[in-house]
Amino acid sequence: MFPTVRPRRLRRHSKLRDLVRETTLTPNDLILPLFIRHGEGEEVPITSMPGHRQLTVDKLPQEIKEIESLGIPGVILFGIPEHKDAVGSDAYSDEGIIQQAVRAIKATGSDLLVITDVCFCEFTDHGHCGIINDKTGVMDVDNDATLEILQKEALSHAQAGADLIAPSGMMDGMIAALREVLDENDFSHLPIMSYAAKYSSGFYGPFRDAAESTPQFGDRATYQMDPANGNEALREVDLDVLEGADILMVKPALSYLDIIHRVKEAHPELPLAAYNVSGEYSMVKAAAANGWVDEQRVALEMLTSMKRAGADMILTYFSKDAARWLSD
C-alpha cells in the first residue's frame, strides 16, 4: 500500500519504461493495403486517404522496393478493373487486375508476403459483394451462388502466385468452400486469412472511394455484421475455425478492441489480424492536418492498442509511416 508501493518508480527513466513495456509494436507487425488500377504509368491520388494512390501494375516494382526497404513484411491487394459487370468477372479472370499484380510482384524476385482480398465489391457494377437476385422480392446477395464465383476467384489468385488469400465477403460457408477448391487443385498448402468478424461499419467510407466500390443501392447490412453485436462475432469466428481458417481477422479495429480481445481469448491457438480501416486512418490524417493532434503519437498509440487487445498483426494504411517512425 502507499506510501510503500509507488508504481511511478518504474516510470521515471525512459530506458526503464522501455524495459517494463508490456506491448511492443514493430514494422514486422504491419501489412500494407495497396490499390491496383487498370491502365499504365498512372499513380492516382486518393483524396480521402492522404498519402495513398491507385497504382497501375507497371508502378508496382518501385513500390515493392520501397515497402521492403521499410521492413514491412506483407501487402494485401485490392483491384480496380477497367470494366465491371453484374458478376464481377474480372475478379476471377486469369488476366484480371489482381492476377496481373500478383505476377508482377513475384517477377521482381521479392519475398514480400502477397495477400489477395477475395471479394467482388470492387468488380461488380452494383458494388455489392456477390451475385444479386430478387427471388424473394428483395434485392440481396445470393449467398450460395456467390460461393461458386468466390471459388473461381480464390483459385485464380492461387494460380497467379498469391501467398495467402483473404476472403472478405462475409458469405456463410465461404471458408469451407474455398478450402475445398484449393485442396482439390493442389493448393492445400495455401493459408486462408478469414475476415471472420467484419462489421457493417461507417468507417469504410474512404476505402469505397479508393476501391470505387460504393453500393449502387441499399447497403451491406444483410451480410456484414451489426456493430451492436459481440456474441455474434464469436459465433462467426467459431464457424470459420471449424471450416478451416488459418488466420482470423476483426474489421474494423479501433471501435472493436473488445471484439479483438474476446476473439483472442476464445482462440489463442490461431493468429489474429486487426484491420485498422480507412476511416480510422483518414480521421487521424484530417485532425493532424488541422493541428488538432500529433499524428505520429496518435497513430502509434492506436496501433499499439490493437496489439495490446490481442492482435498479432495489423492491416493498416499507416504501415509506411509507422515503419519509419518506429525505425527512428
mmCIF file with all atom_site columns, all heavy atoms in Angstrom, residues 72-91:
data_model
loop_
_atom_site.group_PDB
_atom_site.id
_atom_site.type_symbol
_atom_site.label_atom_id
_atom_site.label_alt_id
_atom_site.label_comp_id
_atom_site.label_asym_id
_atom_site.label_entity_id
_atom_site.label_seq_id
_atom_site.pdbx_PDB_ins_code
_atom_site.Cartn_x
_atom_site.Cartn_y
_atom_site.Cartn_z
_atom_site.occupancy
_atom_site.B_iso_or_equiv
_atom_site.pdbx_formal_charge
_atom_site.auth_seq_id
_atom_site.auth_comp_id
_atom_site.auth_asym_id
_atom_site.auth_atom_id
_atom_site.pdbx_PDB_model_num
ATOM 1   N N   . ILE A 1 72 ? 8.516   -3.785  -43.917 1.00 0.00 ? 72 ILE A N   1
ATOM 2   C CA  . ILE A 1 72 ? 7.118   -4.238  -43.858 1.00 0.00 ? 72 ILE A CA  1
ATOM 3   C C   . ILE A 1 72 ? 7.051   -5.609  -44.524 1.00 0.00 ? 72 ILE A C   1
ATOM 4   O O   . ILE A 1 72 ? 7.491   -5.760  -45.669 1.00 0.00 ? 72 ILE A O   1
ATOM 5   C CB  . ILE A 1 72 ? 6.203   -3.231  -44.576 1.00 0.00 ? 72 ILE A CB  1
ATOM 6   C CG1 . ILE A 1 72 ? 6.260   -1.876  -43.861 1.00 0.00 ? 72 ILE A CG1 1
ATOM 7   C CG2 . ILE A 1 72 ? 4.770   -3.744  -44.650 1.00 0.00 ? 72 ILE A CG2 1
ATOM 8   C CD1 . ILE A 1 72 ? 5.647   -0.736  -44.651 1.00 0.00 ? 72 ILE A CD1 1
ATOM 9   N N   . PRO A 1 73 ? 6.508   -6.612  -43.861 1.00 0.00 ? 73 PRO A N   1
ATOM 10  C CA  . PRO A 1 73 ? 6.603   -7.974  -44.390 1.00 0.00 ? 73 PRO A CA  1
ATOM 11  C C   . PRO A 1 73 ? 5.587   -8.356  -45.452 1.00 0.00 ? 73 PRO A C   1
ATOM 12  O O   . PRO A 1 73 ? 5.788   -9.342  -46.167 1.00 0.00 ? 73 PRO A O   1
ATOM 13  C CB  . PRO A 1 73 ? 6.413   -8.846  -43.153 1.00 0.00 ? 73 PRO A CB  1
ATOM 14  C CG  . PRO A 1 73 ? 5.584   -8.010  -42.240 1.00 0.00 ? 73 PRO A CG  1
ATOM 15  C CD  . PRO A 1 73 ? 5.991   -6.585  -42.484 1.00 0.00 ? 73 PRO A CD  1
ATOM 16  N N   . GLY A 1 74 ? 4.459   -7.616  -45.558 1.00 0.00 ? 74 GLY A N   1
ATOM 17  C CA  . GLY A 1 74 ? 3.430   -8.068  -46.481 1.00 0.00 ? 74 GLY A CA  1
ATOM 18  C C   . GLY A 1 74 ? 2.529   -6.970  -46.975 1.00 0.00 ? 74 GLY A C   1
ATOM 19  O O   . GLY A 1 74 ? 2.438   -5.882  -46.390 1.00 0.00 ? 74 GLY A O   1
ATOM 20  N N   . VAL A 1 75 ? 1.841   -7.265  -48.089 1.00 0.00 ? 75 VAL A N   1
ATOM 21  C CA  . VAL A 1 75 ? 0.851   -6.355  -48.661 1.00 0.00 ? 75 VAL A CA  1
ATOM 22  C C   . VAL A 1 75 ? -0.424  -7.141  -48.924 1.00 0.00 ? 75 VAL A C   1
ATOM 23  O O   . VAL A 1 75 ? -0.403  -8.364  -49.088 1.00 0.00 ? 75 VAL A O   1
ATOM 24  C CB  . VAL A 1 75 ? 1.337   -5.725  -49.985 1.00 0.00 ? 75 VAL A CB  1
ATOM 25  C CG1 . VAL A 1 75 ? 2.538   -4.821  -49.750 1.00 0.00 ? 75 VAL A CG1 1
ATOM 26  C CG2 . VAL A 1 75 ? 1.658   -6.793  -51.039 1.00 0.00 ? 75 VAL A CG2 1
ATOM 27  N N   . ILE A 1 76 ? -1.550  -6.424  -48.932 1.00 0.00 ? 76 ILE A N   1
ATOM 28  C CA  . ILE A 1 76 ? -2.813  -7.017  -49.361 1.00 0.00 ? 76 ILE A CA  1
ATOM 29  C C   . ILE A 1 76 ? -3.328  -6.203  -50.533 1.00 0.00 ? 76 ILE A C   1
ATOM 30  O O   . ILE A 1 76 ? -3.306  -4.963  -50.495 1.00 0.00 ? 76 ILE A O   1
ATOM 31  C CB  . ILE A 1 76 ? -3.842  -7.097  -48.219 1.00 0.00 ? 76 ILE A CB  1
ATOM 32  C CG1 . ILE A 1 76 ? -5.125  -7.793  -48.700 1.00 0.00 ? 76 ILE A CG1 1
ATOM 33  C CG2 . ILE A 1 76 ? -4.134  -5.741  -47.597 1.00 0.00 ? 76 ILE A CG2 1
ATOM 34  C CD1 . ILE A 1 76 ? -6.070  -8.198  -47.578 1.00 0.00 ? 76 ILE A CD1 1
ATOM 35  N N   . LEU A 1 77 ? -3.738  -6.872  -51.594 1.00 0.00 ? 77 LEU A N   1
ATOM 36  C CA  . LEU A 1 77 ? -4.065  -6.223  -52.858 1.00 0.00 ? 77 LEU A CA  1
ATOM 37  C C   . LEU A 1 77 ? -5.567  -6.082  -53.066 1.00 0.00 ? 77 LEU A C   1
ATOM 38  O O   . LEU A 1 77 ? -6.332  -7.035  -52.858 1.00 0.00 ? 77 LEU A O   1
ATOM 39  C CB  . LEU A 1 77 ? -3.484  -7.033  -54.021 1.00 0.00 ? 77 LEU A CB  1
ATOM 40  C CG  . LEU A 1 77 ? -1.980  -7.324  -53.978 1.00 0.00 ? 77 LEU A CG  1
ATOM 41  C CD1 . LEU A 1 77 ? -1.574  -8.138  -55.210 1.00 0.00 ? 77 LEU A CD1 1
ATOM 42  C CD2 . LEU A 1 77 ? -1.163  -6.047  -53.881 1.00 0.00 ? 77 LEU A CD2 1
ATOM 43  N N   . PHE A 1 78 ? -5.977  -4.883  -53.500 1.00 0.00 ? 78 PHE A N   1
ATOM 44  C CA  . PHE A 1 78 ? -7.352  -4.591  -53.902 1.00 0.00 ? 78 PHE A CA  1
ATOM 45  C C   . PHE A 1 78 ? -7.313  -4.061  -55.335 1.00 0.00 ? 78 PHE A C   1
ATOM 46  O O   . PHE A 1 78 ? -6.457  -3.226  -55.674 1.00 0.00 ? 78 PHE A O   1
ATOM 47  C CB  . PHE A 1 78 ? -7.982  -3.547  -52.975 1.00 0.00 ? 78 PHE A CB  1
ATOM 48  C CG  . PHE A 1 78 ? -8.085  -3.993  -51.549 1.00 0.00 ? 78 PHE A CG  1
ATOM 49  C CD1 . PHE A 1 78 ? -7.076  -3.706  -50.645 1.00 0.00 ? 78 PHE A CD1 1
ATOM 50  C CD2 . PHE A 1 78 ? -9.187  -4.722  -51.109 1.00 0.00 ? 78 PHE A CD2 1
ATOM 51  C CE1 . PHE A 1 78 ? -7.153  -4.130  -49.326 1.00 0.00 ? 78 PHE A CE1 1
ATOM 52  C CE2 . PHE A 1 78 ? -9.273  -5.149  -49.786 1.00 0.00 ? 78 PHE A CE2 1
ATOM 53  C CZ  . PHE A 1 78 ? -8.256  -4.854  -48.893 1.00 0.00 ? 78 PHE A CZ  1
ATOM 54  N N   . GLY A 1 79 ? -8.225  -4.530  -56.174 1.00 0.00 ? 79 GLY A N   1
ATOM 55  C CA  . GLY A 1 79 ? -8.175  -4.183  -57.591 1.00 0.00 ? 79 GLY A CA  1
ATOM 56  C C   . GLY A 1 79 ? -9.293  -3.268  -58.044 1.00 0.00 ? 79 GLY A C   1
ATOM 57  O O   . GLY A 1 79 ? -10.416 -3.356  -57.551 1.00 0.00 ? 79 GLY A O   1
ATOM 58  N N   . ILE A 1 80 ? -8.969  -2.401  -59.005 1.00 0.00 ? 80 ILE A N   1
ATOM 59  C CA  . ILE A 1 80 ? -9.964  -1.555  -59.664 1.00 0.00 ? 80 ILE A CA  1
ATOM 60  C C   . ILE A 1 80 ? -9.884  -1.868  -61.163 1.00 0.00 ? 80 ILE A C   1
ATOM 61  O O   . ILE A 1 80 ? -8.963  -1.418  -61.850 1.00 0.00 ? 80 ILE A O   1
ATOM 62  C CB  . ILE A 1 80 ? -9.721  -0.057  -59.416 1.00 0.00 ? 80 ILE A CB  1
ATOM 63  C CG1 . ILE A 1 80 ? -9.751  0.260   -57.922 1.00 0.00 ? 80 ILE A CG1 1
ATOM 64  C CG2 . ILE A 1 80 ? -10.794 0.769   -60.123 1.00 0.00 ? 80 ILE A CG2 1
ATOM 65  C CD1 . ILE A 1 80 ? -8.388  0.325   -57.274 1.00 0.00 ? 80 ILE A CD1 1
ATOM 66  N N   . PRO A 1 81 ? -10.795 -2.693  -61.680 1.00 0.00 ? 81 PRO A N   1
ATOM 67  C CA  . PRO A 1 81 ? -10.707 -3.128  -63.078 1.00 0.00 ? 81 PRO A CA  1
ATOM 68  C C   . PRO A 1 81 ? -11.183 -2.042  -64.043 1.00 0.00 ? 81 PRO A C   1
ATOM 69  O O   . PRO A 1 81 ? -11.823 -1.065  -63.638 1.00 0.00 ? 81 PRO A O   1
ATOM 70  C CB  . PRO A 1 81 ? -11.657 -4.328  -63.106 1.00 0.00 ? 81 PRO A CB  1
ATOM 71  C CG  . PRO A 1 81 ? -12.702 -3.982  -62.097 1.00 0.00 ? 81 PRO A CG  1
ATOM 72  C CD  . PRO A 1 81 ? -11.974 -3.254  -60.995 1.00 0.00 ? 81 PRO A CD  1
ATOM 73  N N   . GLU A 1 82 ? -10.888 -2.250  -65.297 1.00 0.00 ? 82 GLU A N   1
ATOM 74  C CA  . GLU A 1 82 ? -11.340 -1.303  -66.323 1.00 0.00 ? 82 GLU A CA  1
ATOM 75  C C   . GLU A 1 82 ? -12.833 -1.436  -66.564 1.00 0.00 ? 82 GLU A C   1
ATOM 76  O O   . GLU A 1 82 ? -13.537 -0.445  -66.771 1.00 0.00 ? 82 GLU A O   1
ATOM 77  C CB  . GLU A 1 82 ? -10.581 -1.540  -67.627 1.00 0.00 ? 82 GLU A CB  1
ATOM 78  C CG  . GLU A 1 82 ? -10.920 -0.536  -68.713 1.00 0.00 ? 82 GLU A CG  1
ATOM 79  C CD  . GLU A 1 82 ? -10.049 -0.682  -69.942 1.00 0.00 ? 82 GLU A CD  1
ATOM 80  O OE1 . GLU A 1 82 ? -9.297  -1.681  -70.030 1.00 0.00 ? 82 GLU A OE1 1
ATOM 81  O OE2 . GLU A 1 82 ? -10.111 0.199   -70.833 1.00 0.00 ? 82 GLU A OE2 1
ATOM 82  N N   . HIS A 1 83 ? -13.327 -2.675  -66.539 1.00 0.00 ? 83 HIS A N   1
ATOM 83  C CA  . HIS A 1 83 ? -14.745 -2.925  -66.791 1.00 0.00 ? 83 HIS A CA  1
ATOM 84  C C   . HIS A 1 83 ? -15.337 -3.717  -65.631 1.00 0.00 ? 83 HIS A C   1
ATOM 85  O O   . HIS A 1 83 ? -14.715 -4.650  -65.111 1.00 0.00 ? 83 HIS A O   1
ATOM 86  C CB  . HIS A 1 83 ? -14.941 -3.709  -68.097 1.00 0.00 ? 83 HIS A CB  1
ATOM 87  C CG  . HIS A 1 83 ? -14.387 -3.015  -69.296 1.00 0.00 ? 83 HIS A CG  1
ATOM 88  N ND1 . HIS A 1 83 ? -14.926 -1.855  -69.803 1.00 0.00 ? 83 HIS A ND1 1
ATOM 89  C CD2 . HIS A 1 83 ? -13.320 -3.325  -70.090 1.00 0.00 ? 83 HIS A CD2 1
ATOM 90  C CE1 . HIS A 1 83 ? -14.228 -1.464  -70.856 1.00 0.00 ? 83 HIS A CE1 1
ATOM 91  N NE2 . HIS A 1 83 ? -13.257 -2.336  -71.050 1.00 0.00 ? 83 HIS A NE2 1
ATOM 92  N N   . LYS A 1 84 ? -16.540 -3.356  -65.230 1.00 0.00 ? 84 LYS A N   1
ATOM 93  C CA  . LYS A 1 84 ? -17.265 -4.072  -64.196 1.00 0.00 ? 84 LYS A CA  1
ATOM 94  C C   . LYS A 1 84 ? -18.534 -4.658  -64.786 1.00 0.00 ? 84 LYS A C   1
ATOM 95  O O   . LYS A 1 84 ? -19.082 -4.123  -65.749 1.00 0.00 ? 84 LYS A O   1
ATOM 96  C CB  . LYS A 1 84 ? -17.611 -3.123  -63.037 1.00 0.00 ? 84 LYS A CB  1
ATOM 97  C CG  . LYS A 1 84 ? -16.401 -2.435  -62.410 1.00 0.00 ? 84 LYS A CG  1
ATOM 98  C CD  . LYS A 1 84 ? -16.787 -1.664  -61.160 1.00 0.00 ? 84 LYS A CD  1
ATOM 99  C CE  . LYS A 1 84 ? -15.568 -0.997  -60.532 1.00 0.00 ? 84 LYS A CE  1
ATOM 100 N NZ  . LYS A 1 84 ? -15.829 -0.474  -59.181 1.00 0.00 ? 84 LYS A NZ  1
ATOM 101 N N   . ASP A 1 85 ? -19.000 -5.759  -64.196 1.00 0.00 ? 85 ASP A N   1
ATOM 102 C CA  . ASP A 1 85 ? -20.253 -6.351  -64.653 1.00 0.00 ? 85 ASP A CA  1
ATOM 103 C C   . ASP A 1 85 ? -20.998 -6.928  -63.456 1.00 0.00 ? 85 ASP A C   1
ATOM 104 O O   . ASP A 1 85 ? -20.543 -6.822  -62.316 1.00 0.00 ? 85 ASP A O   1
ATOM 105 C CB  . ASP A 1 85 ? -20.020 -7.412  -65.740 1.00 0.00 ? 85 ASP A CB  1
ATOM 106 C CG  . ASP A 1 85 ? -19.090 -8.529  -65.298 1.00 0.00 ? 85 ASP A CG  1
ATOM 107 O OD1 . ASP A 1 85 ? -19.133 -8.905  -64.108 1.00 0.00 ? 85 ASP A OD1 1
ATOM 108 O OD2 . ASP A 1 85 ? -18.308 -9.029  -66.132 1.00 0.00 ? 85 ASP A OD2 1
ATOM 109 N N   . ALA A 1 86 ? -22.139 -7.538  -63.713 1.00 0.00 ? 86 ALA A N   1
ATOM 110 C CA  . ALA A 1 86 ? -23.018 -7.986  -62.628 1.00 0.00 ? 86 ALA A CA  1
ATOM 111 C C   . ALA A 1 86 ? -22.419 -9.095  -61.786 1.00 0.00 ? 86 ALA A C   1
ATOM 112 O O   . ALA A 1 86 ? -22.796 -9.257  -60.608 1.00 0.00 ? 86 ALA A O   1
ATOM 113 C CB  . ALA A 1 86 ? -24.357 -8.447  -63.212 1.00 0.00 ? 86 ALA A CB  1
ATOM 114 N N   . VAL A 1 87 ? -21.484 -9.868  -62.351 1.00 0.00 ? 87 VAL A N   1
ATOM 115 C CA  . VAL A 1 87 ? -20.904 -10.990 -61.599 1.00 0.00 ? 87 VAL A CA  1
ATOM 116 C C   . VAL A 1 87 ? -19.429 -10.770 -61.295 1.00 0.00 ? 87 VAL A C   1
ATOM 117 O O   . VAL A 1 87 ? -18.756 -11.674 -60.791 1.00 0.00 ? 87 VAL A O   1
ATOM 118 C CB  . VAL A 1 87 ? -21.088 -12.320 -62.373 1.00 0.00 ? 87 VAL A CB  1
ATOM 119 C CG1 . VAL A 1 87 ? -22.560 -12.646 -62.518 1.00 0.00 ? 87 VAL A CG1 1
ATOM 120 C CG2 . VAL A 1 87 ? -20.396 -12.284 -63.722 1.00 0.00 ? 87 VAL A CG2 1
ATOM 121 N N   . GLY A 1 88 ? -18.903 -9.586  -61.581 1.00 0.00 ? 88 GLY A N   1
ATOM 122 C CA  . GLY A 1 88 ? -17.510 -9.288  -61.253 1.00 0.00 ? 88 GLY A CA  1
ATOM 123 C C   . GLY A 1 88 ? -16.526 -10.212 -61.927 1.00 0.00 ? 88 GLY A C   1
ATOM 124 O O   . GLY A 1 88 ? -15.577 -10.697 -61.301 1.00 0.00 ? 88 GLY A O   1
ATOM 125 N N   . SER A 1 89 ? -16.690 -10.439 -63.223 1.00 0.00 ? 89 SER A N   1
ATOM 126 C CA  . SER A 1 89 ? -15.912 -11.455 -63.925 1.00 0.00 ? 89 SER A CA  1
ATOM 127 C C   . SER A 1 89 ? -14.407 -11.178 -63.926 1.00 0.00 ? 89 SER A C   1
ATOM 128 O O   . SER A 1 89 ? -13.602 -12.111 -64.007 1.00 0.00 ? 89 SER A O   1
ATOM 129 C CB  . SER A 1 89 ? -16.420 -11.622 -65.360 1.00 0.00 ? 89 SER A CB  1
ATOM 130 O OG  . SER A 1 89 ? -16.365 -10.398 -66.065 1.00 0.00 ? 89 SER A OG  1
ATOM 131 N N   . ASP A 1 90 ? -14.011 -9.901  -63.848 1.00 0.00 ? 90 ASP A N   1
ATOM 132 C CA  . ASP A 1 90 ? -12.573 -9.600  -63.799 1.00 0.00 ? 90 ASP A CA  1
ATOM 133 C C   . ASP A 1 90 ? -11.926 -10.192 -62.553 1.00 0.00 ? 90 ASP A C   1
ATOM 134 O O   . ASP A 1 90 ? -10.726 -10.480 -62.541 1.00 0.00 ? 90 ASP A O   1
ATOM 135 C CB  . ASP A 1 90 ? -12.353 -8.086  -63.836 1.00 0.00 ? 90 ASP A CB  1
ATOM 136 C CG  . ASP A 1 90 ? -10.897 -7.706  -64.051 1.00 0.00 ? 90 ASP A CG  1
ATOM 137 O OD1 . ASP A 1 90 ? -10.147 -7.635  -63.053 1.00 0.00 ? 90 ASP A OD1 1
ATOM 138 O OD2 . ASP A 1 90 ? -10.494 -7.487  -65.216 1.00 0.00 ? 90 ASP A OD2 1
ATOM 139 N N   . ALA A 1 91 ? -12.713 -10.405 -61.513 1.00 0.00 ? 91 ALA A N   1
ATOM 140 C CA  . ALA A 1 91 ? -12.171 -10.913 -60.253 1.00 0.00 ? 91 ALA A CA  1
ATOM 141 C C   . ALA A 1 91 ? -11.623 -12.325 -60.389 1.00 0.00 ? 91 ALA A C   1
ATOM 142 O O   . ALA A 1 91 ? -10.719 -12.710 -59.646 1.00 0.00 ? 91 ALA A O   1
ATOM 143 C CB  . ALA A 1 91 ? -13.243 -10.881 -59.166 1.00 0.00 ? 91 ALA A CB  1
#
